[in-house]
Amino acid sequence: MNITLIATTAMGLESVLAREIKELGFSAAQSFNGKIEFQGNLEDICRANLWLRTAGRILIKVGEFKATTFDELYEKTRALPWGQWIEETAQFPISKVTSRKSTLFSKSDCQSIIKKAVVDSLKTYHKVSNLPETGAPFAIRLQIENDLVTLSLDTSGSGLNKRGYRSHMDLAPLRETLAAGLVLLSRWRPDKDVLFDPLCGSGTILIEAGLIAKNIAPGLNRQFVSEQWQIIPPELWAKARQEAQDSIIKENNFQIFGSDKSWRALEIAQKNTGLAGLTNFNYQKLNLNETSLPFSTGKIITNPPYGERMDDQEETEALYKEMGLHFKKEFAEWSYYVITPHDDFEKLFKAKSDKHRKLFNGAIQCWYYQFFA
Ligand SMILES: C[S@@+](CC[C@H](N)C(=O)[O-])C[C@H]1O[C@@H](n2cnc3c(N)ncnc32)[C@H](O)[C@@H]1O
């Protein structure tokens, strides 16, 4: 069965996700704004969900067509092979509707038309007059862009950033998928480069690095909604999980250090690291200006405070200045990777980055400043 899969991601991470998809053995990945399309089979739904570190969700593309009228939207949606996926008893909410630069822009109208078309299509396919909608969920997504309608089914359920290792949510941590992206973009080599985050908070960057180092599939400790679908036999999930389990590198082949000025953050970081199944991390309570490591080279990847509130701005700017001075003194031959929305970061840090890339931390447009040793 040949299926078109769509992996979604945060804007700016498309090339990293494309690299991951290629490394997982898929070819001909096509990249759009925050989305990558590739071809796979049922087993690949399991593998993509388990393995793709920077993907937000894995969707099945059910169909794509041009539509400028509601009649066209209804007819073309109804003609798609919904019954092939959606079981007679399934729930099938229209979970997300987006419309950009298109004639059909009323989301609520599009939503009810899609629902009606899918209901009619399923009744015909399953030869029934009633659909109880009590079974497994098949969330439908509708995207209209320049009158091009894309309809897809969500195979992930909760977003793939939910790895199952987060014990607390109150520190505004970095999204796991973005943290993994920062590590992959830095081209960190676990067996060669020391890794340090001196403002580690709950440790997301370091934990994602640890998962990469040990080749632990990020989804290994969670469930996916499509595990409830009849069309994917449980053996396929079991096989993909077993393969992921067998791929784990047993020894700790990395040197990872984290520090923060906050005890509470460090407590959470320790706890999350354990929940992620990782050991041998070195956490210390230190102020940024007290940090030092006995290695001449390595990589610092960090997500400092952004100073979003007016009264925090001065403190944040002072921290960025201190960071520049301290890194150059204590970590002179290291590479640094810093994500912040601050346009003046380089001025405060007093160095011009070798590269900077636009990335989104949720809705916040940031820069990923990269300084190479
Ligand atoms: C945006 S948070 C990092 C969040 C982290 N990436 C995560 O995913 O949880 C910034 C962290 O910097 C720490 N911090 C701020 N100023 C510091 C300083 N001068 N020295 C050490 N840590 C500091 C804060 O305690 C906070 O945990």
Side-chain angles (χ1 to χ4, degrees), residues 269-287:
Q270 296 269 17
K271 194 162 181 197
N272 289 354
T273 306
L275 286 171
L278 296 165
T279 53
N280 270 41
F281 276 40
N282 306 277
Y283 287 117
Q284 261 193 301
K285 182 186 173 301
L286 291 173
N287 208 295

Side-chain angles (χ1 to χ4, degrees), residues 42-300:
L42 286 176
E43 200 173 334
D44 295 326
I45 295 176
C46 314
R47 294 175 62 238
N49 272 301
L50 279 165
W51 279 103
L52 292 176
R53 298 178 194 280
T54 55
R57 280 166 199 284
I58 307 299
L59 313 173
I60 292 167
K61 183 166 159 185
V62 181
E64 192 165 74
F65 51 79
K66 282 264 175 193
T68 50
T69 68
F70 288 134
D71 280 348
E72 232 181 331
L73 182 66
Y74 172 84
E75 291 302 338
K76 291 182 176 174
T77 301
R78 189 182 165 162
L80 293 176
W82 296 102
Q84 179 190 321
W85 295 104
I86 305 181
E87 300 143 26
E88 189 182 320
T89 55
Q91 303 169 55
F92 47 100
I94 314 297
S95 65
K96 188 161 187 206
V97 180
T98 52
S99 174
R100 281 187 61 231
K101 298 185 195 153
S102 298
T103 318
L104 301 176
F105 60 83
S106 158
K107 291 185 190 174
S108 56
D109 286 333
C110 290
Q111 192 168 11
S112 45
I113 283 165
I114 295 292
K115 183 78 188 185
K116 184 164 172 21
V118 179
V119 165
D120 292 347
S121 170
L122 290 176
K123 280 182 179 169
T124 310
Y125 184 92
H126 293 301
K127 301 190 177 63
V128 292
S129 55
N130 258 319
L131 296 165
E133 293 203 48
T134 52
F138 290 72
I140 297 172
R141 295 181 153 230
L142 164 69
Q143 185 187 35
I144 315 181
E145 183 119 14
N146 295 317
D147 296 329
L148 184 69
V149 176
T150 307
L151 283 153
S152 57
L153 288 171
D154 176 17
T155 72
S156 303
S158 51
L160 294 179
N161 60 299
K162 302 228 161 61
R163 321 283 210 210
Y165 64 68
R166 200 156 259 182
S167 55
H168 292 78
M169 284 301 292
D170 54 342
L171 284 181
L174 210 53
R175 193 168 275 197
E176 298 84 335
T177 37
L178 176 59
L182 299 184
V183 176
L184 293 173
L185 278 168
S186 79
R187 303 248 177 198
W188 175 60
R189 299 163 304 173
D191 51 344
K192 294 202 171 66
D193 308 319
V194 178
L195 178 63
F196 178 39
D197 181 354
L199 307 158
C200 70
S202 64
T204 319
I205 294 172
L206 302 177
I207 294 170
E208 289 299 324
L211 295 176
I212 291 168
K214 291 186 63 102
N215 203 30
I216 298 177
L220 201 50
N221 281 328
R222 57 160 284 166
Q223 303 292 310
F224 307 96
V225 74
S226 51
E227 289 182 72
Q228 302 172 46
W229 298 1
Q230 279 168 15
I231 190 160
I232 310 180
E235 304 85 77
L236 290 190
W237 282 105
K239 184 172 166 234
R241 281 186 187 282
Q242 189 58 51
E243 270 171 18
Q245 199 66 48
D246 296 342
S247 314
I248 297 176
I249 297 171
K250 300 287 178 297
E251 67 275 15
N252 288 324
N253 55 344
F254 56 75
Q255 288 188 291
I256 293 182
F257 296 81
S259 57
D260 200 286
K261 67 177 183 184
S262 149
W263 272 123
R264 179 163 162 69
L266 288 167
E267 236 171 56
I268 296 173
Q270 296 269 17
K271 194 162 181 197
N272 289 354
T273 306
L275 286 171
L278 296 165
T279 53
N280 270 41
F281 276 40
N282 306 277
Y283 287 117
Q284 261 193 301
K285 182 186 173 301
L286 291 173
N287 208 295
L288 176 76
N289 59 15
E290 301 168 320
T291 58
S292 162
L293 283 172
F295 305 97
S296 54
T297 63
K299 286 185 192 276
I300 291 177

